[in-house]
Amino acid sequence: MLINEIQINRQKNFPLFQRVEGSTFYSLLGRASKKMRGITFNYDHKSKIIETIIFFDSTLSEEEKEEMEIANTEVLADIHNEVTDFLLTLEITPSSEDILDKCGNWGWIYLRVLAPVKTDS
């Protein structure tokens, strides 16, 4: 997704974006995993559905999945009057695979970029 498109999508609903972003960070306090690689949002302004997509570099335990579901429910509780649904997608993508181009239409709110491995030539 192009930067200009992301900026336009955010600006259309900037107060909602700010609430979702802040609530998401707050809900992940004490729950965020070292496996987490990125957090992005998709927002459908017509149906008022927000999808949070969280990328991890390895499989989550049942406890980790449950913590992400609890965090998602906390965010929904903060914004339930402004959306019709708040979806959560947990993506497992190995660290060897680039996720930069997989951002949603509200862009990245967190992205862990791995430094390239240096090799002696």
Side-chain angles (χ1 to χ4, degrees):
M1 173 151 295
L2 298 173
I3 298 283
N4 289 343
E5 290 177 59
I6 291 170
Q7 289 174 337
I8 290 168
N9 285 325
R10 280 186 182 177
Q11 287 174 350
K12 284 181 184 177
N13 298 283
F14 195 65
L16 178 59
F17 170 77
Q18 286 181 310
R19 283 192 297 283
V20 172
E21 179 185 41
S23 185
T24 298
F25 281 129
Y26 186 77
S27 73
L28 289 172
L29 288 175
R31 290 190 174 103
S33 165
K34 292 180 180 180
K35 298 176 183 178
M36 196 174 287
R37 295 185 62 196
I39 304 171
T40 187
F41 299 120
N42 272 319
Y43 179 62
D44 183 334
H45 69 280
K46 290 181 183 176
S47 62
K48 294 190 176 186
I49 295 174
I50 298 174
E51 177 187 24
T52 302
I53 307 166
I54 306 177
F55 290 86
F56 297 88
D57 56 16
S58 60
T59 304
L60 300 174
S61 68
E62 287 304 313
E63 183 180 332
E64 289 170 321
K65 288 179 189 176
E66 185 176 326
E67 289 294 332
M68 295 299 103
E69 291 289 342
I70 292 169
N72 191 65
T73 301
E74 288 179 0
V75 177
L76 177 58
D78 288 344
I79 62 165
H80 70 279
N81 290 327
E82 300 173 65
V83 297
T84 57
D85 207 353
F86 192 70
L87 309 172
L88 175 65
T89 301
L90 306 175
E91 292 280 335
I92 309 303
T93 307
S95 57
S96 60
E97 190 177 322
D98 187 25
I99 63 170
L100 188 59
D101 63 340
K102 296 182 180 186
C103 73
N105 64 7
W106 267 2
W108 293 106
I109 64 162
Y110 170 75
L111 181 62
R112 176 172 45 106
V113 180
L114 301 174
V117 177
K118 294 182 180 181
T119 58
D120 294 332
S121 300

